[in-house]
Amino acid sequence: MGKNDHRDSWRGVNTFKSDSKFGIFKQRTQQPTLDICKLSKNTSLQLESAYSDDNNLSGADNGPKESQQGEIRQNNDDGNMNYHTGLVLEDRYEILSTLGEGAFGKVVECIDKHRSQRVAVKIVKKFESFCKVARSEIAVLEEINSLDDDNRFACVRMLDWFKHKAHICIVLELLGPSTFEFLRENNFVPFSVEQIRHIAYQIFRAVSFLHRNKLTHTDLKPENILFVSCDCDRECNQQMHKKPRLPDVKVVDFGAATFDHQHHETLVSTRHYRAPEVILDLGWDQSCDVWSLGCVLMEYYLGQTLFPSHDCREHLAMMEKVLGSIPSHLLKQTRKKHFVKNELLNWDKTSPSDDDIQKHCQPLRLYMRTNSDDEKQLFDLLGCMLEYDVSKRITLEEALWHPFFCPLRKQQQPQCS
Ligand code: KHC
């Protein structure tokens, strides 16, 4: 059973509760740029599975299968905990509502009665394979907490964890909606370049912190980047800043995060964000996160996924359309020989699938909407991140010094070096 087989890919069909909490989302209609400053702490989300089996090559994305696990499941037993609002876990966490759900289990909002603060509790399905992923996530979150004592990097904080009946429960700081959720609720109107810069800088700092500490996230995608919405934002915006402050984000979901010394699963990442070296089974390291983040930033810029593919070979063909030919030395090394023909990608350029690619994809630079310096820098950075050859791909440490981020460094210090 692969570490990532639990992975969700549950965008698309969405059930929002008719709760006043969702007011911000509900009122929105199409608008030129997103008003992410209006996010409140109360904004929550509830998601359901849509692209059910699109997360990995084997198609085993919906969590462990009975046969693989040797676990006997009752007909209606999906492994989730049965709960109701008002239920108190550990004599401490009172369940208020459901925030999200996926293959892994559910996330609920609770009030921590000891500290009188609201928290998120990830309640993991009781099946052993999910417990294993949860234990790994707890180990990573513990490491993050101890390495980042002062909470300087934008990784979600684990506040506690416990076992309730057979379910592992991870108590996390409460965050707002994911960036994917936010795009969807805004009819996929893209983020502005300024918003992308603000979000990207924080994620890059967080993930580069992971990389420095011998960790790879392996599942970076808009669903795993959540807004931090705190009540003080609105006050700060009204009182102190002429320009509204852009909301901060944090990275979540460390269930598939892998330490350098640990076994590296062959198949990592959710399909659209999967690096070419993973698809070609060439081995991977931290740089696969850089590729994923390149795809994520493009998605923020476009409002939709850069590689809308459901098949590995088609995915590689899309990459070629956007980024040029895959270098032949990579195709030579792949163990996936069926992807290669005459030292080139084995792709039929006369097939109907190719028509789709011609329709949906274009060379990277042609996606630019304007020729402003900002956009030129963004696309220069994206080009460095979406580099096939991992030895040439930019690292996040380097990316943080890219001119695209110059305006942010100028804000912090008088000089931009
Ligand atoms: Cl609100 C929330 C927090 Cl604060 C932290 C993690 C979360 N939600 C609503 C959260 C997560 C969700 C999960 C994690 N980790 C994922 N799903 C949630 O619904 C797990 C699957 N990937 C997306 C985030």
Side-chain angles (χ1 to χ4, degrees):
M1 154 69 195
K3 194 170 181 176
N4 294 291
D5 290 354
H6 73 291
R7 163 131 342 111
D8 60 307
S9 180
W10 29 278
R11 22 170 77 179
V13 191
N14 181 31
T15 49
F16 274 86
K17 291 178 284 182
S18 56
D19 191 311
S20 59
K21 275 184 177 179
F22 302 101
I24 291 172
F25 285 150
K26 291 263 180 217
Q27 285 160 19
R28 287 227 176 87
T29 50
Q30 185 121 356
Q31 49 192 313
T33 56
L34 300 183
D35 194 0
I36 43 188
C37 302
K38 279 190 194 154
L39 281 173
S40 90
K41 199 171 171 181
N42 283 328
T43 321
S44 312
L45 59 157
Q46 184 169 13
L47 303 167
E48 274 184 4
S49 177
Y51 295 176
S52 54
D53 59 358
D54 200 22
N55 286 348
N56 72 36
L57 297 168
S58 63
D61 299 273
N62 288 328
K65 302 270 186 308
E66 267 174 59
S67 55
Q68 290 168 326
Q69 298 308 306
E71 287 167 342
I72 300 156
R73 298 186 188 180
Q74 304 288 314
N75 264 350
N76 288 322
D77 189 357
D78 61 359
N80 274 312
M81 187 203 284
N82 290 322
Y83 62 81
H84 54 85
T85 54
L87 181 71
V88 181
L89 305 169
E90 287 287 279
D91 215 11
R92 175 167 183 180
Y93 304 104
E94 182 181 336
I95 300 180
L96 301 178
S97 65
T98 303
L99 295 171
E101 62 186 280
F104 66 92
K106 300 197 183 200
V107 177
V108 292
E109 181 180 337
C110 292
I111 182 94
D112 172 357
K113 287 147 70 101
H114 286 192
R115 297 227 169 115
S116 301
Q117 65 174 15
R118 291 187 305 154
V119 294
V121 180
K122 187 171 177 175
I123 306 174
V124 177
K125 284 183 183 170
K126 66 185 174 198
F127 302 131
E128 177 48 31
S129 45
F130 293 108
C131 295
K132 205 173 148 196
V133 173
R135 281 192 291 270
S136 167
E137 176 161 28
I138 290 167
V140 171
L141 289 166
E142 272 172 351
E143 180 79 356
I144 292 172
N145 279 356
S146 71
L147 289 166
D148 183 20
D149 232 5
D150 308 331
N151 203 359
R152 289 174 54 223
F153 299 99
C155 299
V156 71
R157 302 300 283 193
M158 180 174 67
L159 306 173
D160 188 11
W161 70 270
F162 57 88
K163 215 163 173 182
H164 180 86
K165 299 190 176 152
H167 300 272
I168 294 182
C169 300
I170 307 177
V171 184
L172 302 162
E173 65 178 310
L174 184 63
L175 300 170
S178 75
T179 51
F180 175 75
E181 197 55 24
F182 195 79
L183 279 175
R184 177 165 58 195
E185 286 310 303
N186 284 280
N187 301 316
F188 299 101
V189 176
F191 289 111
S192 71
V193 173
E194 198 194 358
Q195 288 164 342
I196 294 173
R197 185 188 284 120
H198 180 80
I199 295 173
Y201 194 70
Q202 295 172 41
I203 312 170
F204 285 18
R205 280 192 73 240
V207 181
S208 138
F209 156 75
L210 298 178
H211 290 182
R212 271 201 304 284
N213 289 294
K214 301 185 172 14
L215 268 164
T216 306
H217 185 286
T218 81
D219 196 20
L220 293 165
K221 55 181 175 180
E223 292 90 326
N224 284 337
I225 296 159
L226 270 55
F227 284 108
V228 178
S229 35
C230 103
D231 291 337
C232 68
D233 280 356
R234 207 175 310 128
E235 282 157 34
C236 292
N237 286 340
Q238 281 167 0
Q239 290 166 15
M240 290 152 64
H241 297 261
K242 276 190 195 133
K243 227 174 155 190
R245 208 173 91 180
L246 295 166
D248 293 336
V249 288
K250 286 204 171 194
V251 178
V252 301
D253 202 346
F254 293 87
T258 306
F259 285 101
D260 288 355
H261 69 268
Q262 280 180 319
H263 170 69
H264 283 38
E265 293 288 339
T266 313
L267 191 73
V268 288
S269 310
T270 299
R271 185 188 292 282
H272 298 162
Y273 312 94
R274 190 175 291 149
E277 64 272 21
V278 176
I279 303 175
L280 293 170
D281 194 9
L282 299 171
W284 55 265
D285 63 10
Q286 275 72 3
S287 49
C288 77
D289 279 347
V290 179
W291 181 279
S292 302
L293 287 177
C295 299
V296 169
L297 297 196
M298 267 307 278
E299 191 160 330
Y300 291 161
Y301 182 83
L302 298 173
Q304 54 195 21
T305 182
L306 175 62
F307 299 122
S309 169
H310 297 278
D311 166 85
C312 297
R313 197 191 305 254
E314 183 196 47
H315 191 177
L316 292 169
M318 284 183 176
M319 288 181 187
E320 290 208 328
K321 177 77 187 181
V322 177
L323 304 161
S325 302
I326 300 172
S328 59
H329 71 276
L330 299 183
L331 293 177
K332 265 189 203 138
Q333 284 167 35
T334 183
R335 274 179 278 190
K336 306 266 176 192
K337 295 294 176 210
H338 56 287
F339 288 148
V340 187
K341 196 173 163 188
N342 301 329
E343 299 189 4
L344 298 173
L345 181 67
N346 182 7
W347 178 252
D348 181 1
K349 288 204 166 142
T350 62
S351 67
S353 309
D354 194 68
D355 295 342
D356 282 348
I357 295 184
Q358 300 308 324
K359 226 184 286 161
H360 292 117
C361 303
Q362 54 181 343
L364 188 67
R365 302 269 160 177
L366 298 187
Y367 286 103
M368 285 174 72
R369 284 190 292 270
T370 77
N371 217 17
S372 67
D373 285 347
D374 268 1
E375 289 193 30
K376 279 193 220 149
Q377 280 161 357
L378 172 60
F379 275 77
D380 182 89
L381 174 59
L382 286 166
C384 300
M385 299 177 77
L386 297 172
E387 159 63 54
Y388 289 117
D389 189 337
V390 292
S391 68
K392 293 189 191 144
R393 194 174 300 157
I394 196 168
T395 66
L396 292 180
E397 196 70 53
E398 290 162 351
L400 284 164
W401 290 98
H402 189 278
F404 178 59
F405 293 117
C406 217
L408 298 183
R409 290 198 299 273
K410 270 189 188 142
Q411 272 170 23
Q412 284 167 3
Q413 298 156 2
Q415 276 187 356
C416 176
S417 47

Short mmCIF file of all heavy atoms in Angstrom, two decimals, residues 166-188:
data_model
loop_
_atom_site.label_atom_id
_atom_site.label_comp_id
_atom_site.label_asym_id
_atom_site.label_seq_id
_atom_site.Cartn_x
_atom_site.Cartn_y
_atom_site.Cartn_z
N ALA A 166 -11.07 4.05 17.62
CA ALA A 166 -9.96 3.60 16.76
C ALA A 166 -9.43 4.72 15.86
O ALA A 166 -8.64 4.47 14.96
CB ALA A 166 -10.43 2.43 15.91
N HIS A 167 -9.88 5.94 16.11
CA HIS A 167 -9.55 7.04 15.20
C HIS A 167 -8.45 7.94 15.74
O HIS A 167 -8.56 8.46 16.85
CB HIS A 167 -10.79 7.90 14.93
CG HIS A 167 -11.91 7.14 14.31
ND1 HIS A 167 -12.03 6.99 12.96
CD2 HIS A 167 -12.93 6.46 14.88
CE1 HIS A 167 -13.11 6.25 12.70
NE2 HIS A 167 -13.67 5.91 13.85
N ILE A 168 -7.42 8.14 14.94
CA ILE A 168 -6.40 9.11 15.31
C ILE A 168 -6.96 10.50 15.01
O ILE A 168 -7.54 10.73 13.94
CB ILE A 168 -5.08 8.87 14.53
CG1 ILE A 168 -4.49 7.52 14.96
CG2 ILE A 168 -4.09 10.01 14.77
CD1 ILE A 168 -3.16 7.18 14.32
N CYS A 169 -6.83 11.40 15.96
CA CYS A 169 -7.34 12.76 15.80
C CYS A 169 -6.17 13.74 15.96
O CYS A 169 -5.45 13.67 16.96
CB CYS A 169 -8.39 13.06 16.87
SG CYS A 169 -9.81 11.95 16.80
N ILE A 170 -6.00 14.60 14.99
CA ILE A 170 -4.90 15.56 15.03
C ILE A 170 -5.50 16.96 15.22
O ILE A 170 -6.30 17.41 14.39
CB ILE A 170 -4.06 15.51 13.73
CG1 ILE A 170 -3.62 14.06 13.44
CG2 ILE A 170 -2.85 16.43 13.83
CD1 ILE A 170 -2.84 13.89 12.13
N VAL A 171 -5.12 17.60 16.30
CA VAL A 171 -5.67 18.94 16.59
C VAL A 171 -4.73 19.98 15.97
O VAL A 171 -3.53 19.99 16.25
CB VAL A 171 -5.78 19.17 18.12
CG1 VAL A 171 -6.43 20.52 18.40
CG2 VAL A 171 -6.56 18.04 18.78
N LEU A 172 -5.29 20.81 15.12
CA LEU A 172 -4.51 21.80 14.37
C LEU A 172 -5.05 23.20 14.65
O LEU A 172 -6.23 23.35 15.02
CB LEU A 172 -4.61 21.53 12.87
CG LEU A 172 -4.15 20.14 12.41
CD1 LEU A 172 -4.71 19.83 11.02
CD2 LEU A 172 -2.63 20.06 12.39
N GLU A 173 -4.21 24.18 14.45
CA GLU A 173 -4.72 25.56 14.52
C GLU A 173 -5.80 25.71 13.45
O GLU A 173 -5.72 25.09 12.38
CB GLU A 173 -3.60 26.57 14.29
CG GLU A 173 -3.01 26.49 12.89
CD GLU A 173 -1.93 27.52 12.63
OE1 GLU A 173 -2.15 28.70 12.90
OE2 GLU A 173 -0.85 27.12 12.14
N LEU A 174 -6.80 26.53 13.72
CA LEU A 174 -7.90 26.71 12.77
C LEU A 174 -7.48 27.69 11.67
O LEU A 174 -6.98 28.77 11.96
CB LEU A 174 -9.14 27.24 13.49
CG LEU A 174 -10.39 27.38 12.65
CD1 LEU A 174 -10.87 26.01 12.13
CD2 LEU A 174 -11.50 28.05 13.43
N LEU A 175 -7.66 27.24 10.43
CA LEU A 175 -7.34 28.11 9.29
C LEU A 175 -8.61 28.36 8.48
O LEU A 175 -9.67 27.80 8.77
CB LEU A 175 -6.27 27.44 8.43
CG LEU A 175 -4.93 27.14 9.12
CD1 LEU A 175 -4.05 26.25 8.25
CD2 LEU A 175 -4.19 28.44 9.46
N GLY A 176 -8.49 29.19 7.46
CA GLY A 176 -9.63 29.51 6.60
C GLY A 176 -9.72 28.57 5.41
O GLY A 176 -9.21 27.45 5.46
N PRO A 177 -10.35 29.00 4.34
CA PRO A 177 -10.52 28.13 3.16
C PRO A 177 -9.20 27.92 2.42
O PRO A 177 -8.27 28.70 2.56
CB PRO A 177 -11.50 28.92 2.29
CG PRO A 177 -11.29 30.34 2.68
CD PRO A 177 -10.92 30.34 4.12
N SER A 178 -9.18 26.88 1.63
CA SER A 178 -7.98 26.64 0.82
C SER A 178 -7.99 27.59 -0.37
O SER A 178 -9.03 28.14 -0.75
CB SER A 178 -7.95 25.19 0.32
OG SER A 178 -8.86 25.02 -0.72
N THR A 179 -6.82 27.76 -0.98
CA THR A 179 -6.74 28.65 -2.14
C THR A 179 -7.57 28.07 -3.30
O THR A 179 -8.11 28.81 -4.11
CB THR A 179 -5.28 28.87 -2.58
OG1 THR A 179 -4.63 27.60 -2.73
CG2 THR A 179 -4.53 29.71 -1.57
N PHE A 180 -7.67 26.73 -3.35
CA PHE A 180 -8.50 26.15 -4.41
C PHE A 180 -9.96 26.48 -4.19
O PHE A 180 -10.68 26.89 -5.11
CB PHE A 180 -8.31 24.63 -4.49
CG PHE A 180 -9.25 24.03 -5.50
CD1 PHE A 180 -9.01 24.18 -6.85
CD2 PHE A 180 -10.42 23.41 -5.09
CE1 PHE A 180 -9.90 23.70 -7.79
CE2 PHE A 180 -11.32 22.93 -6.03
CZ PHE A 180 -11.06 23.07 -7.38
N GLU A 181 -10.37 26.29 -2.93
CA GLU A 181 -11.75 26.58 -2.56
C GLU A 181 -12.09 28.03 -2.88
O GLU A 181 -13.16 28.35 -3.38
CB GLU A 181 -11.88 26.33 -1.06
CG GLU A 181 -13.27 26.19 -0.56
CD GLU A 181 -14.00 25.13 -1.31
OE1 GLU A 181 -13.36 24.21 -1.86
OE2 GLU A 181 -15.22 25.22 -1.37
N PHE A 182 -11.14 28.87 -2.60
CA PHE A 182 -11.35 30.30 -2.81
C PHE A 182 -11.52 30.60 -4.29
O PHE A 182 -12.44 31.34 -4.69
CB PHE A 182 -10.18 31.10 -2.22
CG PHE A 182 -10.52 32.53 -2.10
CD1 PHE A 182 -11.29 32.98 -1.04
CD2 PHE A 182 -10.13 33.43 -3.08
CE1 PHE A 182 -11.65 34.32 -0.96
CE2 PHE A 182 -10.49 34.76 -2.99
CZ PHE A 182 -11.24 35.21 -1.93
N LEU A 183 -10.64 30.01 -5.12
CA LEU A 183 -10.78 30.22 -6.57
C LEU A 183 -12.13 29.72 -7.05
O LEU A 183 -12.82 30.38 -7.81
CB LEU A 183 -9.68 29.45 -7.31
CG LEU A 183 -8.29 30.10 -7.38
CD1 LEU A 183 -7.30 29.15 -8.05
CD2 LEU A 183 -8.35 31.42 -8.17
N ARG A 184 -12.50 28.54 -6.58
CA ARG A 184 -13.77 27.96 -7.04
C ARG A 184 -14.94 28.85 -6.66
O ARG A 184 -15.85 29.09 -7.45
CB ARG A 184 -13.95 26.56 -6.45
CG ARG A 184 -15.29 25.98 -6.85
CD ARG A 184 -15.40 24.50 -6.63
NE ARG A 184 -15.18 24.14 -5.25
CZ ARG A 184 -14.93 22.90 -4.86
NH1 ARG A 184 -14.85 21.93 -5.74
NH2 ARG A 184 -14.76 22.63 -3.59
N GLU A 185 -14.93 29.34 -5.44
CA GLU A 185 -16.03 30.18 -4.98
C GLU A 185 -16.07 31.51 -5.70
O GLU A 185 -17.02 32.26 -5.60
CB GLU A 185 -15.96 30.36 -3.47
CG GLU A 185 -16.38 29.12 -2.72
CD GLU A 185 -17.72 28.59 -3.22
OE1 GLU A 185 -18.71 29.35 -3.20
OE2 GLU A 185 -17.76 27.43 -3.64
N ASN A 186 -15.00 31.82 -6.38
CA ASN A 186 -14.95 33.07 -7.15
C ASN A 186 -14.99 32.78 -8.64
O ASN A 186 -14.42 33.53 -9.45
CB ASN A 186 -13.71 33.87 -6.79
CG ASN A 186 -13.90 34.55 -5.45
OD1 ASN A 186 -14.54 35.59 -5.36
ND2 ASN A 186 -13.40 33.92 -4.40
N ASN A 187 -15.65 31.70 -9.00
CA ASN A 187 -15.80 31.31 -10.40
C ASN A 187 -14.47 31.26 -11.14
O ASN A 187 -14.39 31.59 -12.31
CB ASN A 187 -16.74 32.28 -11.13
CG ASN A 187 -18.10 32.29 -10.50
OD1 ASN A 187 -18.64 31.23 -10.16
ND2 ASN A 187 -18.64 33.47 -10.28
N PHE A 188 -13.44 30.88 -10.44
CA PHE A 188 -12.11 30.69 -11.02
C PHE A 188 -11.53 31.95 -11.64
O PHE A 188 -10.77 31.91 -12.59
CB PHE A 188 -12.11 29.50 -12.00
CG PHE A 188 -12.47 28.21 -11.31
CD1 PHE A 188 -13.76 27.69 -11.41
CD2 PHE A 188 -11.55 27.55 -10.53
CE1 PHE A 188 -14.10 26.52 -10.74
CE2 PHE A 188 -11.89 26.38 -9.85
CZ PHE A 188 -13.16 25.85 -9.96
#
